[in-house]
Amino acid sequence: MNRQGISFLLVEQNARKGLTVSHRGYVLEQGKNRLHGAGSELLVNPEVQKLYLGGRGEEIPAVKCS
């Protein structure tokens, strides 16, 4: 779908999986946009890791999205 230029919205409880396949991600908190950026950037964001990915805020290697 991506190669055909089709965009779609993915709402996923598994934040790590969702961000791994996303070109762009938005982190909503209480219905408001708290953070946004490339999925690969959000995966290594210490705040996102701590709050949503079960980490302690240490950087993890970026996942390359193709």
Side-chain angles (χ1 to χ4, degrees), residues 15-51:
R16 188 178 310 278
K17 184 176 278 189
L19 291 172
T20 299
V21 299
S22 298
H23 288 231
R24 190 120 189 100
Y26 296 86
V27 177
L28 302 178
E29 185 174 279
Q30 296 184 356
K32 295 185 180 182
N33 186 22
R34 179 169 177 182
L35 299 164
H36 65 275
S40 58
E41 291 172 1
L42 290 172
L43 277 171
V44 297
N45 178 306
E47 186 175 10
V48 173
Q49 288 180 17
K50 182 178 178 183
L51 296 174

Side-chain angles (χ1 to χ4, degrees), residues 7 10-11 19-20 24-25 36 38 41 43 53 55 58 60-61 63:
S7 298
L10 170 68
V11 179
L19 291 172
T20 299
R24 190 120 189 100
H36 65 275
E41 291 172 1
L43 277 171
L53 301 178
E58 301 101 12
I60 58 172
V63 176

